[in-house]
Amino acid sequence: MTESETHGQSTAKPALFSRPLPILIFIVVAVVLDQAIKIMVDHWLPLQEMVPVIPMLALYRTYNLGVAFSMLSGMDGWFIVGMRLVIVAFVLWLWWRTPDHRWLAHLGFALIIAGALGNLIDRFLYGHVIDYILFHTQTWSFAVFNLADSFITVGAGCVILDELLMPKKPKT
């Protein structure tokens, strides 16, 4: 038995996204991808004109003055910026406080931070967020959204799944 095992310490390597450098690289790559797609959408996709991709999915460039899925679109832009910064700070705090073995939660936090930063950059650069993904039928359509919104949604799902499914280590 090793010395660290005799003192109750685990010798297991921490999960990838529990370490600062991998999470930072992941977030930067995700934000760059989000911004690159938004630049292409803004330059080449017609404004508020549906471009069918497959049945029930279209590209539709629009500008969102709110947060994810157009929520809070009537609020002041600086309030939304401040709210996003508080959310990023809170999620960073959660990431820091979450035990290293909770890899799914760490992945979720990285996705949430990347999505929030991607939309925050839009808000600073353009005064609005560029949305372009539209799910629809002939009688119904979902809110137009973007990759950053998807990051936030999938990230929240990862955190919820972590809470529901992942084993918790007892506190010692």
Side-chain angles (χ1 to χ4, degrees):
M1 194 177 273
T2 67
E3 185 179 329
S4 63
E5 289 172 329
T6 59
H7 293 289
Q9 299 170 343
S10 172
T11 58
K13 190 174 181 180
L16 182 65
F17 289 124
S18 68
R19 295 177 288 168
L21 185 59
I23 199 172
L24 180 63
I25 291 169
F26 178 84
I27 289 169
V28 168
V29 168
V31 169
V32 167
L33 179 63
D34 172 66
Q35 290 299 303
I37 291 171
K38 287 175 180 171
I39 289 168
M40 289 186 289
V41 163
D42 208 32
H43 283 91
W44 292 307
L45 195 63
L47 183 62
Q48 297 186 344
E49 202 173 299
M50 192 181 309
V51 178
V53 177
I54 59 174
M56 299 177 55
L57 175 64
L59 298 177
Y60 184 88
R61 177 172 56 122
T62 190
Y63 299 136
N64 177 355
L65 300 175
V67 294
F69 307 111
S70 299
M71 293 185 290
L72 305 179
S73 58
M75 300 300 291
D76 178 63
W78 289 110
F79 170 78
I80 292 172
V81 166
M83 184 181 66
R84 283 193 178 124
L85 289 172
V86 167
I87 289 168
V88 168
F90 178 67
V91 173
L92 279 169
W93 178 79
L94 288 173
W95 171 81
W96 179 75
R97 302 253 318 154
T98 301
D100 288 350
H101 73 279
R102 306 277 300 274
W103 66 271
L104 193 56
H106 286 282
L107 173 61
F109 297 145
L111 286 164
I112 292 167
I113 292 166
L117 291 176
N119 284 339
L120 192 60
I121 290 169
D122 281 14
R123 179 68 65 173
F124 277 123
L125 293 178
Y126 313 115
H128 57 262
V129 174
I130 301 168
D131 285 338
Y132 53 87
I133 302 169
L134 174 64
F135 283 107
H136 66 93
T137 67
Q138 289 183 349
T139 59
W140 168 87
S141 68
F142 190 72
V144 182
F145 61 100
N146 61 42
L147 185 58
D149 296 333
S150 298
F151 288 157
I152 293 167
T153 303
V154 171
C158 288
V159 173
I160 291 167
L161 284 174
D162 177 85
E163 282 298 318
L164 295 174
L165 303 176
M166 300 300 285
K168 310 299 182 273
K169 288 185 179 176
K171 292 185 179 182
T172 56

